[in-house]
Amino acid sequence: MNFNPKNKTSNFILLITSFGIVSLILWNTNSFFKKFKEEERLKMEIWATAQSEFQQSSEDTDLGNLHLKVFQNNTSTPMILVNKDGSYKTNNMDKQKVSDSVYVQKRIRKFESENKPISINQQGEHLATLYYGNSEVLNKLKYYPIALLLIMFLFGAVIFFFFKTNKASEQNKLWAGMAKETAHQIGTPLSSLLGWNELLKSENINPQITKEISKDISRLETITERFSKIGSLPKLDPHDIVKETKDAYDYLKLRSSKLIDFSFSSNVGQLPVLLNRSLYNWTIENLVKNGIDAMKGKGSIHIEIRSEGKQVHVQVSDTGHGIPKSDFQTIFNPGVTSKKRGWGLGLSLVKRIVEEYHKGKIKVLSSNKEGTVMQVTLKALS
């Protein structure tokens, strides 16, 4: 893995800048909240002063319009004025609920926790106590930083998933390009091998040698065909899945260690399925080879085909060490492998071949210390 100090420095600067912006927003919001709260306190003190003068005035006293405007302009702050005789008067509160004394007492305790009560006195005599809560605007402002952080988090998540998806798409294009280039590079020496093999056939040598060379050349042609199909939509044709699976099974059985015990079973004689023969055989080979690797070259491989309604299940079982349940999904991700050597692309390609190209499903059916069962599910032709 290449370490790029420039990228690391840029990411660190971006992180610090983001943290600084968020901190600045929170600090400014908190300062604005405190300032707004102080202004509301000042308004309530003016209201309390006006109320004190109003209560002390006689009916003949002309107070002018100032007191009336003070009382009328305060339409947002909920308040409870408790007189010295225990009676109370409310303002900017639910009129249907204020008749309930229990409700009023609860609101008094709540207001007292939000703001310090204002004592209304006149010439040293206590007249009343004013309890007031936060206005609707102040309450909304209190939750503004949380809403802002949530919006920033969602926005960041959208950007993150966008770049992640974009990066995955670029990687897919890269792997597809590498696969096609590999197929192209193999084509040149393969053509030469075909010519050399034809030349050997004309010589006086053992025919079995050229026969085996032809088999290997055919195998290379199959591999080239597989790699050339990666990244493009392959053509699917009706094929007997039992025969195609059996052919892949026979090929692997002949070329595997004698320490591997192979077995094959099917509950149907033949079953047509839309397949790309080359890619389907590659799928079976990958699953079998993974099973052999898990058994460290010694154990049993069983391939079973079961037809159930409109679906056909192809199960590849091994007697290897098993897969942890937590890894059932991640083993299909590119780069995930338990081998010391390898790029972890086998099961990723298998998943792509089965699910994207053949519109089927692949999963770990079961796995424990006694072995693993991988299942490929495809739709059978009616």
Side-chain angles (χ1 to χ4, degrees):
M1 181 177 182
N2 292 328
F3 174 75
N4 193 333
K6 290 185 178 179
N7 288 341
K8 186 175 181 181
T9 303
S10 299
N11 292 338
F12 181 74
I13 292 173
L14 181 63
L15 181 64
I16 294 298
T17 303
S18 302
F19 180 78
I21 292 172
V22 172
S23 300
L24 184 62
I25 291 172
L26 292 176
W27 181 79
N28 280 331
T29 304
N30 185 57
S31 299
F32 185 65
F33 180 82
K34 288 182 177 179
K35 183 71 175 177
F36 199 84
K37 199 173 180 68
E38 289 174 1
E39 290 183 358
E40 281 209 346
R41 177 76 180 183
L42 181 60
K43 284 167 55 179
M44 296 311 301
E45 287 178 348
I46 293 173
W47 190 94
T49 303
Q51 182 68 24
S52 173
E53 292 183 0
F54 179 77
Q55 289 184 359
Q56 290 297 314
S57 63
S58 63
E59 294 182 358
D60 299 331
T61 305
D62 184 13
L63 296 175
N65 295 326
L66 180 61
H67 291 74
L68 185 60
K69 285 192 175 184
V70 170
F71 295 145
Q72 290 178 342
N73 288 339
N74 197 338
T75 58
S76 60
T77 306
M79 63 184 77
I80 301 173
L81 182 69
V82 180
N83 298 313
K84 62 180 180 179
D85 59 0
S87 62
Y88 61 85
K89 183 172 66 174
T90 63
N91 195 19
N92 301 326
M93 293 178 63
D94 192 339
K95 294 181 179 180
Q96 295 180 350
K97 293 182 178 180
V98 294
S99 59
D100 184 0
S101 60
V102 176
Y103 170 77
V104 172
Q105 290 300 321
K106 287 182 179 179
R107 300 307 293 178
I108 288 175
R109 288 193 293 271
K110 185 178 187 326
F111 292 168
E112 195 172 9
S113 65
E114 291 177 347
N115 299 287
K116 185 179 178 182
I118 299 175
S119 180
I120 300 176
N121 303 308
Q122 185 71 26
Q123 297 179 352
E125 180 185 358
H126 176 71
L127 300 178
T129 303
L130 177 63
Y131 299 92
Y132 70 98
N134 294 330
S135 65
E136 186 177 352
V137 175
L138 199 59
N139 283 328
K140 288 181 179 179
L141 186 63
K142 182 169 61 176
Y143 296 109
Y144 173 74
I146 299 174
L148 184 64
L149 288 175
L150 182 61
I151 292 171
M152 292 179 66
F153 173 77
L154 293 175
F155 184 70
V158 169
I159 293 176
F160 171 76
F161 284 114
F162 172 77
F163 281 109
K164 187 178 180 181
T165 304
N166 199 35
K167 186 177 180 182
S169 178
E170 290 178 357
Q171 288 178 341
N172 286 336
K173 290 179 181 178
L174 175 63
W175 291 122
M178 289 177 63
K180 289 181 179 294
E181 181 62 21
T182 301
H184 177 73
Q185 294 294 335
I186 292 176
T188 303
L190 186 58
S191 300
S192 298
L193 286 173
L194 284 168
W196 283 109
N197 194 42
E198 291 300 320
L199 184 62
L200 287 174
K201 288 179 182 179
S202 64
E203 299 293 332
N204 188 20
I205 62 172
N206 186 352
Q208 187 64 31
I209 295 176
T210 55
K211 183 180 179 181
E212 292 300 321
I213 291 175
S214 296
K215 288 181 180 178
D216 289 332
I217 290 174
S218 177
R219 177 63 177 169
L220 284 172
E221 288 176 335
T222 301
I223 293 172
T224 303
E225 183 186 0
R226 290 172 179 174
F227 275 92
S228 66
K229 285 180 168 57
I230 298 298
S232 59
L233 191 63
K235 183 182 178 182
L236 304 181
D237 297 307
H239 292 286
D240 180 9
I241 194 171
V242 179
K243 180 182 180 302
E244 295 302 325
T245 308
K246 188 69 165 58
D247 288 346
Y249 163 84
D250 291 336
Y251 176 85
L252 292 166
K253 183 178 179 181
L254 290 174
R255 285 160 178 78
S256 299
S257 168
K258 300 299 180 183
L259 298 175
I260 305 296
D261 180 26
F262 282 86
S263 59
F264 180 90
S265 65
S266 174
N267 67 348
V268 288
Q270 60 180 10
L271 187 64
V273 175
L274 282 177
L275 295 175
N276 181 280
R277 295 176 61 188
S278 178
L279 294 180
Y280 175 74
N281 290 341
W282 195 5
T283 296
I284 299 301
E285 289 177 21
N286 265 307
L287 293 177
V288 170
K289 287 179 179 178
N290 273 350
I292 292 173
D293 290 339
M295 299 185 302
K296 298 181 179 179
K298 183 179 180 180
S300 299
I301 293 287
H302 178 65
I303 300 179
E304 180 182 1
I305 297 177
R306 291 189 300 106
S307 176
E308 294 182 357
K310 294 183 179 181
Q311 292 185 328
V312 56
H313 305 293
V314 181
Q315 296 177 357
V316 179
S317 309
D318 64 64
T319 55
H321 52 72
I323 303 169
K325 194 170 184 179
S326 57
D327 295 338
F328 277 15
Q329 295 297 325
T330 57
I331 59 170
F332 295 105
N333 295 337
V336 177
T337 179
S338 59
K339 305 172 189 176
K340 293 182 179 179
R341 295 183 180 182
W343 289 4
L345 296 176
L347 288 178
S348 174
L349 286 172
V350 166
K351 183 178 177 69
R352 184 167 186 173
I353 291 169
V354 173
E355 297 190 354
E356 292 187 25
Y357 296 159
H358 290 84
K359 306 304 177 185
K361 291 290 182 183
I362 182 169
K363 65 178 180 179
V364 182
L365 189 63
S366 64
S367 187
N368 50 48
K369 293 181 180 180
E370 297 177 357
T372 300
V373 181
M374 304 290 291
Q375 177 172 283
V376 174
T377 301
L378 299 173
K379 187 178 179 180
L381 290 175
S382 54

